[in-house]
């Protein structure tokens, strides 16, 4: 099963699955797997069109390791739609913002597994993966009102969900940051809800030692492009501040 290893050292691995294109009009989406000391976390596993492929790739990549967590950065269908299948076929526990635990079941959640969908409080939390804490970092309104990122202190990868997404069909490392901006700009201006939220997020994550920023759509940022991306976010105007002028009743 083809995949990209973003980091590997000792018993710790960070895997990006190769594009399981959902096809048709469905937006390209990345699935990430973190494995530490025999325990695994799948991030934003996706919907029904990729479910069987991502599940098979996950089990194959886990080897003898056990899937412990299903992390859901927010409530969108390309993230949570297949949550029931993941809970039915594994013993893992799923985590999503406390704002969304009563909405995800509308995609269908069997009574046998509904107790394994747990809330993340607004302030975030730590999750112990095989003896290593992963940080669940608040990123509310970027774009969802209940939204989280994952920081892995071993690989120094920050998984940012829709933040940093690009829609040029590629999911490799960004080579030229300036050339990459057009693939991100329109998406961020419209989907990211608030300039103020974006600035607050930049301030909070500047305190982390980050080697890779890995979004859920498109390409990822490494090396000097990590800082370039944070600086770009710090200067971007987005969301409601741009939209106010178009709140008009259609005539
Ligand atoms: Fe989304």
């Amino acid at each position: 099963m083809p995949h990209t290893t973003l980091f590997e050292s000792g018993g710790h691995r960070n895997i990006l699955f190769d594009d399981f294109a959902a096809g048709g009009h469905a937006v390209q989406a990345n699935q990430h797997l973190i494995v530490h000391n025999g325990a695994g976390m799948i991030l934003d596993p996706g919907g029904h069109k990729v479910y069987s492929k991502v599940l098979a790739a996950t089990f194959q990549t886990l080897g003898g390791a056990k899937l412990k967590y299903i992390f859901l950065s927010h409530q969108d269908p390309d993230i949570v739609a297949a949550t029931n299948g993941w809970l039915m076929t594994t013993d893992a526990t799923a985590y999503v913002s406390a704002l969304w635990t009563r909405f995800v079941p509308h995609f269908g959640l069997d009574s046998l597994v509904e107790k394994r969908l747990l809330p993340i409080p607004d302030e975030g939390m730590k999750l112990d993966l095989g003896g290593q804490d992963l940080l669940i970092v608040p990123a509310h309104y970027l774009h969802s009102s209940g939204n989280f990122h994952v920081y892995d202190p071993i690989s120094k990868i920050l998984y940012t969900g829709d933040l940093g997404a690009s829609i040029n069909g590629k999911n490799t490392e960004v080579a030229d940051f300036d050339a990459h901006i057009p693939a991100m700009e329109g998406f961020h201006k419209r989907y990211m809800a608030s300039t103020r939220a974006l600035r607050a997020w930049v301030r909070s994550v500047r305190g982390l030692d980050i080697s890779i920023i890995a979004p859920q759509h498109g390409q990822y940022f490494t090396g000097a492009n990590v800082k370039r991306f944070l600086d770009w976010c710090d200067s971007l105007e987005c969301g409601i501040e741009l939209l106010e002028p178009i709140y008009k009743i259609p005539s």
Side-chain angles (χ1 to χ4, degrees):
M1 200 74 75
H3 60 253
T4 303
T5 301
L6 296 180
F7 179 90
E8 180 161 25
S9 178
H12 193 96
R13 285 182 292 153
N14 298 69
I15 307 294
L16 164 60
F17 290 128
D18 263 10
D19 194 8
F20 295 119
H25 267 49
V27 66
Q28 183 276 341
N30 298 321
Q31 292 85 30
H32 290 278
L33 181 68
I34 307 172
V35 184
H36 183 81
N37 197 19
M41 172 194 272
I42 183 85
L43 289 87
D44 292 345
H48 302 295
K49 291 186 100 173
V50 297
Y51 166 68
S52 59
K53 292 178 210 162
V54 180
L55 189 74
T58 299
F59 282 139
Q60 189 171 337
T61 308
L62 280 170
K66 253 193 113 174
L67 192 70
K68 188 169 182 200
Y69 299 120
I70 300 157
F71 172 77
L72 309 166
S73 63
H74 60 294
Q75 84 291 4
D76 274 348
D78 58 325
I79 288 161
V80 307
T83 300
N84 189 58
W86 282 91
L87 289 171
M88 293 288 268
T89 47
T90 68
D91 296 322
T93 305
Y95 280 88
V96 72
S97 160
L99 272 65
W100 301 124
T101 44
R102 298 185 68 215
F103 291 81
V104 173
H106 278 271
F107 282 108
L109 213 51
D110 196 281
S111 58
L112 288 169
V113 302
E114 63 185 5
K115 288 191 175 59
R116 281 193 281 124
L117 174 66
L118 297 182
I120 307 169
D122 264 352
E123 62 270 26
M125 63 191 295
K126 291 175 180 173
L127 286 175
D128 177 328
L129 186 70
Q132 172 61 48
D133 275 345
L134 302 177
L135 305 184
I136 311 301
V137 178
H140 305 306
Y141 297 102
L142 302 170
H143 65 96
S144 168
S145 46
N147 201 115
F148 291 95
H149 296 164
V150 174
Y151 177 69
D152 170 4
I154 303 272
S155 64
K156 305 186 194 314
I157 298 175
L158 180 63
Y159 295 95
T160 54
D162 278 337
L163 190 60
S166 52
I167 43 175
N168 58 3
K170 292 187 248 174
N171 73 341
T172 51
E173 187 176 339
V174 171
D176 179 338
F177 188 85
D178 292 308
H180 186 66
I181 290 173
M184 302 190 286
E185 196 164 27
F187 177 87
H188 284 73
K189 283 182 168 172
R190 184 63 179 85
Y191 280 82
M192 295 303 143
S194 151
T195 305
R196 190 176 157 199
L198 192 54
R199 300 272 199 281
W201 173 82
V202 172
R203 275 201 304 282
S204 79
V205 302
R206 284 220 201 259
L208 297 170
D209 182 8
I210 303 169
S211 63
I212 298 178
I213 288 182
Q216 190 227 346
H217 305 283
Q219 299 184 258
Y220 57 93
F221 305 90
T222 59
N225 285 338
V226 168
K227 186 178 178 301
R228 289 290 318 271
F229 177 70
L230 296 181
D231 291 345
W232 181 75
C233 287
D234 213 9
S235 65
L236 188 74
E237 295 284 322
C238 66
I240 55 167
E241 285 84 3
L242 297 177
L243 275 175
E244 262 174 272
I246 68 162
Y247 279 83
K248 287 184 202 133
I249 305 299
S251 54

